[in-house]
Amino acid sequence: MDPFTYASLAQIRILLLPVGNIRRSTYDKWAQDIRGIDNVQLADITTDVKDERSRFMPNHQLASGYLHLSYPTHPPPDSHTPLSLFRTSSFPLVAIGIASCGENDSLATVLTQFQTSLHEVFPHDSMFPLASNCFVFEESDSSTNINLGDSFPGLVVIPNAMGHKKTYVGTLIADLCSKVLVELATVMQTLESPLGNEYLNATPFPILPPASELPRSLDDEPRRDSMPLLPSHTSQPDLASPAFRSKSPLGIKRTSTIGPSLLQTHRHSSLPTSPAPTKKRPTTIGVASSHGRLFKVLADFFLLAGRLEEATIWYTESIVLFKHPQDAPWHASALEGLATIPVVEAWSSTHGVNGTAGDKDPWADIADKLAQAIALYPKAVPTTEPEATLSLLAYLYCSSILRHSTLLYSVWSSKGWGPLAFTSMIQPGPSPFLPATLANNASPTSASSARNSYAALERLTSITGITRAQISASLSQAHGPWLLHLDARERVRTLQFIAAMFGSLGHVRKEAYVLREVLGCILDLIVCGRDERGTGSARVLSAGLTARNTPLGGAAQGTVGIRENERTEGNESILRLVKHVCRVHGIDLEAVKLVDITALNRDSLQSESSEAAELDEEFMASTREPFGWPELQIGIIREAIAVAEALPDYPAVAQFSLSSLKLLHPVMSAGDQHHLYSTASRALLTAKRRGERRAVDYWSGKPVVSIEVLPLPLVRLPIEKPLSILSHSATGTTAMLTGVKDPFLYNPRKLMSGQAKTVLVQNEPFELVVTLQNPYVFDLDLQSLQLSTSGVPFVSKASPVVVPANSYHPVTISGRALEPGTLVVRGCIVQAPGGVSREFILPLSTDEEEERRSGRRSAIECEAGRSKHAGLDARPWEKLSKRGSTQPGTTSSSTAKKTIRFLECKVVPEQPLLRIRRTSLTHGAVMLYNGEMSTIRITLENVSSMAVDLLRLTFDDSTIAPAQQALADGDLSVFETYETEYDLVHRPVFTWNSEREPHQIEPGRKRVITVNCFGKVGCTSGVVHVSYALVHRLPASLQEPPEVFYTRQLSYPVLVTVYHMLECQAMDILSYTGATTTKSTNDADDTSLDIKTRMSLLHVGEIADWCIFSIEVRNTYGRPFEVTFERNQEGVDFASVTSLVAPGSTMRVVLPVKKISLSEEHVSRPIPMLSDRQYVVTASNLTAAQERAQRELFWYREELFKVVHGRWRENGGTRAGDLSLRQQRMTLPMLESLRVETARVRMTLVQYDGEGNVQGVPLDPAGTKYLPHPNEFVYLQTAIVNLSPSELILTLNLTLEPSDHVVYQGELLDIPIGRLGKGESYEVETPVAFVACGRFDFSAEVRALGTSRDSSLVGYGKMLIAVNDS
């Protein structure tokens, strides 16, 4: 569209036409040079005409002033033909053809083409152009060798070798302007006739009839010789008749005669040849009509001729004569001409010097005249042809308003009345709303340019005194229902000017409102143009998406429909307007990007900075606040989609629909969401079918919520082990594979030191779970979903996914890594139907990242309430650009320091794979007696292509965890801790002899392993873990020597049932007495085998060296069992005792055991810990003596269990096992009986006969009591033997009870024994006499000197005496 110029009434319009096959670049080049000539000085206007036709020529050669030129791009529409006399300046008065000529081109052909172009642009009966010429530019330096002479009038050849072509072209344009002035005089001469004046006043917008209907001119004969004669008429035509109105609007007819290679144009006129003074000319006009219109036309011609003084005079004269209401438009037009003259004069006189203003603004009078003109146009009431007249009146009315608004805006934007204002009103240039004083002003469709601030705009108001409200009020007058009377082109031009000025004033919402109407007008033109080009079938196929589903009625079956190719020129500009309008209302239609498929090169491995920027963009989008009125926004979106469909531009339809869904789906109804989604889907299918190169990017936000790598099954999970552990002994290897026992029973570091990376195996499939989200009310269809990885090569298959509406949907993706190394899972690559794929990265949610995001969110929330954003500044992107937390300077440092971490998986080399083929158990269950040992055979099969060269077994059962927990709690005593550890270490449920089992399993082969199962009360279940690996790999398959290797583990659960049938209880250790080996009188005749066996077992040598071990065995089961206790003691013959324990009965078993002697160093050792735990502090409140006694009890108990063992066997069966004595406790009396005393004390009673011979005192039958007679002297002999390995200094204390009835000789206390070495003995003899009958108890204590009182007792003996008279 041509820009509206304030001084258009003073400009001669020159239309440039391309002629022939001239290249576009060549035409643009010369057209640009010609358009650079925007004025011609009057001094350059020369002509040889000296008659009446020179009336508009400059008065003299040194005349000051200019002819102003403009170069429209299009001729006016045919509907404006009635304005040819009313506003001649709106029509092209000059037509210039631009052609290029080579060596082989014919100038006659070029001239013919130029004349043809003129006839195509201008109707045959049009009076315009008044002058024409064709400029032919040579393409090469060679001459065409054609002498033009007078053979080709209207054609000028400009040689390529000519210098200063622009100056020469300016001279040619000045000559054409001279011809225009001559032709204007010819037209004026016709109008000055009485008939011409009557025609001029006949209608509101008169047109002259053809020249044949005008009377013959009264010019002199010489003039007739040069001009064709006009036919004369005896009567004037009826000016009001319809026949007259139906005549051609042409006032002057152009005829042409084309001869061989020649073309001649003749102008017909009735103007006289002799000039007449201007002031006498009204006397020649008839008195039937007013002279006002004639004077106004005369003033218009003088204004075009640059003679401003004459124009002012005749405008003033015409205004005085305009009295009739029909003359209101002429009156208004004269006022517009008067308003134009001061601006042209100011431009001509200043030449860049600012004008000075007095008390009144210099533009005030001009504005008043324009305001009067605006008020006069609506007063005109058309009486004939109201439709055509109303259209012209609406056009003139809107033009006057735009002229008034342009005046105010030019002065306001130019900071006052001065050269900038004059230049902007006369030669505004291609961007009239981007003056130098508003350098930052954005174009109406610019989404990224920064508009002027409110302060900058108000500063112009303070300088000029013109407010933006005044300009807006003047401009708003042009917007009204009268726009419907305008032609489509003029309506678009007017609305475009209104929108552009509103945008430059900062009224962006008003600009967007008017631009919506501009789009409506443009769409009307598009639809009308489409209707004119083709018929129904083509239009149906190209009308848009909605017409695609309508059946083509009337088409015969088998008819092939032909679709015309749509012209896409200008579509991008229309879509820019649509996007700008939506952006003003807070809708970013480019939220979903359009990408070129052919130039698509999207590297999935983006730079770290771009990844960080993408994450920040997603974070900002999640914190975006809503803006605008949802109902209005949805309505505007519907309009935008309708515009894109009408063009049609199917990728834009999809982009607009999907962008709207992405941004406004929270406020959309379900029906709107379904409609937009279906519209986008149809548009994408249509675009794909038509071979569209553009496609939409993925649009539905970030669909990936989380990615989780599913752990491998336990049978496939590789476990890392250090290779250095294989250099140890076999036991170390066994310990390693059974799980190296941590020296700490509870080690928190071991619990925290889990593997940071998920371990995968090369060439083995694994699975990931991707969680997708769909916030819409429809099912979201994803054409492709696949993983985005880096590191080692990874193979996975992309799959389509349908995400249900308003839900989170997990999707399982399987893949495999092709090489060992590190696999980085960056995110997912998602592709919607008809769109392009896009990578969505998903970093790990580390503590640093969460802290950073929390800080950003807090900063945004803090800034959101700190300042208030009004108007368009409240749009999300405007607020985002003004936030301090989102400025580039504040985020660059944090982005630079931030390192994005992704989910990493460690891929290990290929591993062998075993499976359990079969076992010897039925249903995986085993039933045992307590203490019974059984075997389990497990068959392993190698199902992989790799051999196994390392095989180890580990076990677990239900008794281990409670025991470990009890140890970890630390509430057990030292003795209980040892027993718990002993049970775990020495009595496991499952055992395996690794030395007897082979470790090598070749691919496809089987191997049987044997596991021992021990019956332990309380065990209900167990697991056999088989760990295997390939340690010794081929060197060719290794990149470098590894430091670790990987094992896999098979687990076989076993259900264990243990029957508790025998219980050991009441263990006791007794000392030997004489009664022990004495046969009872009741058993004298008993010759049973059991009695004989027991008696023979109890008969030992020196009874002082022996003790008796006894224990009770109770059978709680329903079957009898044989119980055997064995004694296996060093230096003593093997002995055993067997008893049959019936169901429900209890049997005591007695077994003699030789006393045990342990060294002091041995018994003083602390109780050991079998688990080798470190830093275990024992909290004990025992004294030193109590602790010593506890240690002695422990060590002597352990020594006893080494000597005595128990076994059982099922009576009549083959099942057998061990009896455990670990639950039995030892007491101090038992300890005294078991251990060998330090000093042995033997007490005997003897008497002497008369000869001094020793005679024994009689004993009772059991041999436990002495039977002396009362009142007789007997001798108590006490023998002390040192059994310790060292010398002792001993003393003896004797106790005789009751002491009142015993008479003795010597001392009883602290009897010195002296120093006794190892094995030495000493005997003390004490004479005693019993003075009464009864029972007496004698005891002896041996104490060692040099020790404490508590530990000085080293020997003890006692004696029972029964004194009787008989």
Side-chain angles (χ1 to χ4, degrees), residues 890-908:
T890 59
T891 59
S892 59
S893 59
S894 61
T895 305
K897 295 180 181 179
K898 183 179 64 174
T899 301
I900 300 178
R901 296 179 56 193
F902 297 100
L903 178 63
E904 295 184 358
C905 302
K906 185 176 182 180
V907 182
V908 302

Side-chain angles (χ1 to χ4, degrees), residues 217-474:
S217 175
L218 300 177
D219 295 340
D220 52 3
E221 292 299 329
R223 180 63 181 168
R224 283 193 203 98
D225 295 339
S226 62
M227 302 292 291
L229 296 178
L230 295 175
S232 61
H233 298 270
T234 57
S235 62
Q236 296 181 359
D238 185 6
L239 300 179
S241 64
F244 177 77
R245 290 194 303 270
S246 64
K247 298 293 183 180
S248 172
L250 180 61
I252 297 177
K253 182 179 179 181
R254 181 181 73 245
T255 60
S256 61
T257 303
I258 302 177
S261 302
L262 298 175
L263 186 143
Q264 182 72 30
T265 302
H266 302 279
R267 296 287 182 182
H268 299 273
S269 176
S270 60
L271 295 176
T273 57
S274 60
T278 303
K279 294 185 178 180
K280 296 180 180 180
R281 190 166 291 109
T283 61
T284 64
I285 300 175
V287 295
S289 300
S290 172
H291 309 154
R293 295 189 180 186
L294 182 62
F295 293 165
K296 187 264 179 187
V297 175
L298 183 61
D300 288 343
F301 289 173
F302 275 118
L303 182 58
L304 290 174
R307 298 172 62 176
L308 305 180
E309 294 180 359
E310 289 86 344
T312 304
I313 294 173
W314 289 111
Y315 276 133
T316 306
E317 291 292 334
S318 64
I319 290 174
V320 174
L321 298 177
F322 289 137
K323 304 296 183 181
H324 196 275
Q326 293 293 331
D327 295 333
W330 294 80
H331 188 182
S333 181
L335 290 174
E336 289 187 74
L338 285 176
T340 304
I341 293 173
V343 176
V344 178
E345 287 180 343
W347 182 87
S348 302
S349 60
T350 57
H351 293 286
V353 179
N354 285 319
T356 57
D359 296 338
K360 189 176 182 180
D361 293 331
W363 64 83
D365 292 337
I366 302 175
D368 292 341
K369 289 183 176 65
L370 293 175
Q372 295 176 26
I374 294 172
L376 285 173
Y377 279 115
K379 294 181 180 180
V381 179
T383 58
T384 59
E385 298 185 0
E387 288 297 331
T389 306
L390 284 176
S391 175
L392 297 175
L393 285 175
Y395 167 70
L396 295 174
Y397 175 69
C398 293
S399 298
S400 64
I401 293 174
L402 298 185
R403 185 170 282 108
H404 182 249
S405 302
T406 303
L407 172 67
L408 298 178
Y409 176 81
S410 299
V411 176
W412 174 80
S413 63
S414 301
K415 297 184 179 180
W417 187 259
L420 289 178
F422 307 150
T423 303
S424 63
M425 285 188 283
I426 294 179
Q427 298 295 339
S431 302
F433 298 104
L434 291 175
T437 56
L438 293 176
N440 291 334
N441 209 356
S443 60
T445 58
S446 177
S448 60
S449 301
R451 294 181 179 268
N452 287 286
S453 63
Y454 175 82
L457 298 176
E458 289 301 316
R459 183 172 177 269
L460 297 178
T461 300
S462 63
I463 294 174
T464 61
I466 300 175
T467 63
R468 291 186 295 159
Q470 290 177 333
I471 304 175
S472 300
S474 174

Side-chain angles (χ1 to χ4, degrees), residues 1223-1275:
Q1223 293 79 19
Q1224 308 304 314
R1225 296 293 180 261
M1226 179 176 287
T1227 60
L1228 286 176
M1230 296 166 62
L1231 176 62
E1232 294 297 333
S1233 301
L1234 178 62
R1235 68 179 176 182
V1236 176
E1237 54 270 44
T1238 304
R1240 178 172 297 174
V1241 179
R1242 295 179 181 178
M1243 300 179 67
T1244 58
L1245 279 179
V1246 297
Q1247 57 184 355
Y1248 292 95
D1249 56 8
E1251 296 178 358
N1253 297 324
V1254 178
Q1255 293 181 357
V1257 176
L1259 296 171
D1260 61 346
T1264 59
K1265 297 179 182 179
Y1266 284 93
L1267 302 175
H1269 295 285
N1271 300 320
E1272 291 182 1
F1273 277 98
V1274 293
Y1275 295 90

